[in-house]
Short mmCIF file of all heavy atoms in Angstrom, two decimals:
data_model
loop_
_atom_site.label_atom_id
_atom_site.label_comp_id
_atom_site.label_asym_id
_atom_site.label_seq_id
_atom_site.Cartn_x
_atom_site.Cartn_y
_atom_site.Cartn_z
N SER A 27 66.80 92.40 122.48
CA SER A 27 67.82 91.76 123.31
C SER A 27 68.54 90.67 122.55
O SER A 27 69.75 90.48 122.70
CB SER A 27 67.18 91.15 124.55
OG SER A 27 66.15 91.94 125.02
N ALA A 30 71.40 91.87 120.48
CA ALA A 30 72.60 92.16 121.25
C ALA A 30 73.44 90.89 121.40
O ALA A 30 74.66 90.93 121.28
CB ALA A 30 72.24 92.72 122.63
N LYS A 35 78.08 87.52 119.57
CA LYS A 35 78.54 86.34 118.85
C LYS A 35 79.41 86.74 117.66
O LYS A 35 80.48 86.17 117.43
CB LYS A 35 77.31 85.57 118.34
CG LYS A 35 77.42 84.07 118.49
CD LYS A 35 76.26 83.40 117.77
CE LYS A 35 75.27 82.80 118.74
NZ LYS A 35 74.22 82.04 118.05
N ASP A 40 84.64 87.56 114.92
CA ASP A 40 85.53 88.49 114.24
C ASP A 40 86.89 88.54 114.91
O ASP A 40 87.92 88.62 114.25
CB ASP A 40 84.93 89.90 114.22
CG ASP A 40 83.75 89.99 113.27
OD1 ASP A 40 83.53 89.03 112.50
OD2 ASP A 40 83.04 91.01 113.32
N ASN A 42 88.08 86.24 116.81
CA ASN A 42 88.60 84.89 117.05
C ASN A 42 88.72 84.58 118.54
O ASN A 42 89.71 84.02 118.99
CB ASN A 42 89.95 84.73 116.36
CG ASN A 42 90.03 83.39 115.66
OD1 ASN A 42 89.11 82.57 115.79
ND2 ASN A 42 91.10 83.15 114.93
N ASP A 47 87.05 83.62 126.65
CA ASP A 47 87.68 84.93 126.50
C ASP A 47 86.66 86.05 126.69
O ASP A 47 86.90 87.03 127.40
CB ASP A 47 88.30 85.10 125.10
CG ASP A 47 89.48 84.16 124.88
OD1 ASP A 47 90.09 83.75 125.87
OD2 ASP A 47 89.77 83.85 123.72
N GLU A 51 86.27 88.93 129.64
CA GLU A 51 86.22 90.35 129.30
C GLU A 51 85.03 91.05 129.95
O GLU A 51 85.11 92.19 130.36
CB GLU A 51 86.10 90.46 127.78
CG GLU A 51 86.84 91.61 127.17
CD GLU A 51 86.87 91.48 125.66
OE1 GLU A 51 87.60 90.59 125.16
OE2 GLU A 51 86.16 92.23 125.00
N ASP A 57 84.60 87.61 139.54
CA ASP A 57 84.02 86.72 140.56
C ASP A 57 83.42 85.46 139.93
O ASP A 57 82.81 84.65 140.62
CB ASP A 57 82.99 87.46 141.41
CG ASP A 57 81.72 87.81 140.64
OD1 ASP A 57 81.73 87.74 139.39
OD2 ASP A 57 80.72 88.16 141.28
N ILE A 60 78.59 86.92 135.65
CA ILE A 60 78.29 88.22 135.04
C ILE A 60 76.96 88.70 135.61
O ILE A 60 75.94 88.01 135.52
CB ILE A 60 78.19 88.08 133.51
CG1 ILE A 60 79.55 87.71 132.91
CG2 ILE A 60 77.65 89.38 132.89
CD1 ILE A 60 79.48 87.36 131.43
N GLY A 62 74.14 92.16 136.14
CA GLY A 62 73.50 93.13 135.25
C GLY A 62 74.42 94.25 134.80
O GLY A 62 74.58 94.48 133.60
N PRO A 63 75.04 94.99 135.75
CA PRO A 63 75.92 96.09 135.34
C PRO A 63 77.09 95.64 134.46
O PRO A 63 77.47 96.34 133.53
CB PRO A 63 76.43 96.63 136.69
CG PRO A 63 75.37 96.25 137.66
CD PRO A 63 74.82 94.94 137.19
N LYS A 67 77.75 96.96 130.59
CA LYS A 67 79.02 97.54 130.15
C LYS A 67 79.67 96.69 129.06
O LYS A 67 80.27 97.22 128.12
CB LYS A 67 79.99 97.68 131.33
CG LYS A 67 79.64 98.84 132.23
CD LYS A 67 80.66 98.94 133.36
CE LYS A 67 80.04 99.56 134.60
NZ LYS A 67 80.64 99.04 135.85
N GLY A 68 79.58 95.38 129.21
CA GLY A 68 80.19 94.47 128.23
C GLY A 68 79.56 94.63 126.87
O GLY A 68 80.26 94.73 125.86
N LYS A 70 77.93 97.15 125.81
CA LYS A 70 78.22 98.50 125.32
C LYS A 70 79.62 98.56 124.70
O LYS A 70 79.80 99.12 123.62
CB LYS A 70 78.08 99.51 126.45
CG LYS A 70 77.83 100.91 125.95
CD LYS A 70 77.54 101.85 127.09
CE LYS A 70 77.50 103.28 126.59
NZ LYS A 70 77.59 104.23 127.70
N ALA A 76 73.95 100.38 123.76
CA ALA A 76 73.54 100.68 125.12
C ALA A 76 72.12 100.18 125.32
O ALA A 76 71.17 100.73 124.77
CB ALA A 76 73.62 102.18 125.38
N THR A 78 68.66 99.03 127.59
CA THR A 78 67.96 99.52 128.77
C THR A 78 68.07 98.47 129.88
O THR A 78 68.34 97.30 129.61
CB THR A 78 66.46 99.73 128.45
OG1 THR A 78 65.87 98.45 128.17
CG2 THR A 78 66.27 100.64 127.26
N ILE A 82 68.50 94.35 129.61
CA ILE A 82 69.56 93.60 130.30
C ILE A 82 68.94 92.51 131.17
O ILE A 82 69.37 91.36 131.14
CB ILE A 82 70.42 94.56 131.17
CG1 ILE A 82 71.23 95.51 130.28
CG2 ILE A 82 71.34 93.78 132.10
CD1 ILE A 82 72.29 94.85 129.43
N ILE A 86 69.45 88.42 130.91
CA ILE A 86 69.89 87.59 132.04
C ILE A 86 68.86 86.50 132.31
O ILE A 86 69.21 85.33 132.46
CB ILE A 86 70.16 88.46 133.29
CG1 ILE A 86 71.43 89.29 133.03
CG2 ILE A 86 70.33 87.58 134.53
CD1 ILE A 86 71.88 90.12 134.20
N ASP A 94 70.12 81.98 139.53
CA ASP A 94 70.81 82.82 140.52
C ASP A 94 70.89 84.28 140.07
O ASP A 94 71.53 85.10 140.74
CB ASP A 94 72.20 82.27 140.86
CG ASP A 94 73.17 82.32 139.67
OD1 ASP A 94 72.73 82.68 138.57
OD2 ASP A 94 74.34 81.99 139.87
N ASP A 98 76.82 82.52 134.43
CA ASP A 98 78.14 81.91 134.57
C ASP A 98 78.63 81.45 133.20
O ASP A 98 77.93 81.57 132.20
CB ASP A 98 78.15 80.79 135.62
CG ASP A 98 77.22 79.65 135.26
OD1 ASP A 98 77.06 79.36 134.05
OD2 ASP A 98 76.64 79.05 136.18
N LEU A 102 76.70 81.18 129.51
CA LEU A 102 77.08 81.97 128.33
C LEU A 102 77.43 81.05 127.16
O LEU A 102 77.09 81.33 126.01
CB LEU A 102 78.27 82.88 128.67
CG LEU A 102 78.57 83.94 127.60
CD1 LEU A 102 77.49 85.00 127.54
CD2 LEU A 102 79.92 84.61 127.83
#
Side-chain angles (χ1 to χ4, degrees):
S27 323
K35 221 189 251 185
D40 288 350
N42 223 354
D47 293 336
E51 216 169 289
D57 69 346
I60 294 172
K67 284 181 208 149
K70 203 173 171 196
T78 66
I82 292 294
I86 290 184
D94 65 355
D98 61 34
L102 191 70

